[in-house]
Amino acid sequence: MSEYEGRSFFKDAAYNIRRTMELDPAAHSKWEVFWLYPHIKAIGLHRIARWLWDHHRTFLARWVSNVARNWTGIEIHPGATIGRGLVIDHGMGVVIGETAIVEDDCHLYHGVTLGGTGKEHKKRHPTLKKGAYVGSGAKCLGNITLGMYSRVGANAVVLQDVPDYATAVGMPARIIERKREDVEISL
């Protein structure tokens, strides 16, 4: 059973819509976000796929996941754990792998990959802690952790942990900045 299964599907959706309105100056109304923003549909369908996955209906879970990918351009494996408040800006080409964990209030841009390494049946995808931000085209690979309110620059390739409140850029990614924990970071 997933950690988020007990939450209200509709309360999570409403929170995601509000959060999108706060972060995206191009969002003009809640109805626009609900009907036209692909990440809202992708996350909603992921919640259904995850429920099926947790109840050993793996074929149906994968089917729902494929419908979501074809409809939105966002691929979220049914086994991935997705917290509330995830915003996937523009969305096209985002891939989130099976053992990925994305905690609350994270922000991803188009072309982001949270990918695995290896073929083992264990944790092999990234964990994004609360408030992590990943820029366009970034690749975060393996069983790594992006710390709370960390930031990953566009097109970075992250192969190692990023500490809380740190910024990582480049190929391979390196830490260029670390904020004090008591400094609020605005996304």
Side-chain angles (χ1 to χ4, degrees):
M1 179 182 309
S2 86
E3 172 183 349
Y4 298 98
E5 185 177 340
R7 289 187 176 168
S8 166
F9 179 89
F10 297 104
K11 284 183 182 176
D12 276 359
Y15 181 80
N16 282 17
I17 290 168
R18 278 192 312 275
R19 190 160 145 68
T20 301
M21 293 288 298
E22 292 169 4
L23 293 176
D24 188 353
H28 296 99
S29 74
K30 291 179 181 178
W31 286 110
E32 177 185 11
V33 172
F34 176 77
W35 288 109
L36 301 177
Y37 279 55
H39 75 278
I40 299 297
K41 294 174 206 54
I43 293 167
L45 288 169
H46 171 72
R47 300 277 189 239
I48 295 166
R50 180 60 195 241
W51 186 90
L52 291 165
W53 186 263
D54 289 343
H55 290 85
H56 309 290
R57 310 288 197 285
T58 55
F59 180 85
L60 284 174
R62 294 299 298 261
W63 184 80
V64 170
S65 176
N66 276 288
V67 167
R69 183 191 63 206
N70 291 333
W71 189 14
T72 66
I74 298 168
E75 181 175 342
I76 306 173
H77 191 284
T81 301
I82 305 296
R84 67 186 221 146
L86 172 62
V87 173
I88 305 174
D89 217 338
H90 301 287
M92 187 59 71
V94 168
V95 177
I96 300 175
E98 177 184 15
T99 63
I101 299 171
V102 180
E103 292 185 358
D104 295 346
D105 299 328
C106 290
H107 193 168
L108 310 178
Y109 275 88
H110 57 282
V112 166
T113 299
L114 304 180
T117 55
K119 297 179 184 176
E120 302 84 20
H121 294 282
K122 61 180 185 176
K123 177 86 168 90
R124 63 189 184 284
H125 296 88
T127 296
L128 277 63
K129 296 293 192 177
K130 179 180 174 73
Y133 167 98
V134 183
S136 303
K139 310 303 178 221
C140 303
L141 306 173
N143 184 13
I144 61 174
T145 300
L146 304 185
M148 287 180 42
Y149 299 100
S150 62
R151 300 170 72 90
V152 173
N155 296 314
V157 177
V158 183
L159 303 172
Q160 296 180 342
D161 292 348
V162 177
D164 293 352
Y165 302 92
T167 300
V169 298
M171 292 188 266
R174 65 192 188 291
I175 305 302
I176 60 164
E177 180 179 82
R178 181 157 183 185
K179 302 230 183 243
R180 289 190 354 244
E181 293 178 17
D182 61 343
V183 175
E184 186 174 324
I185 297 177
S186 62
L187 299 177

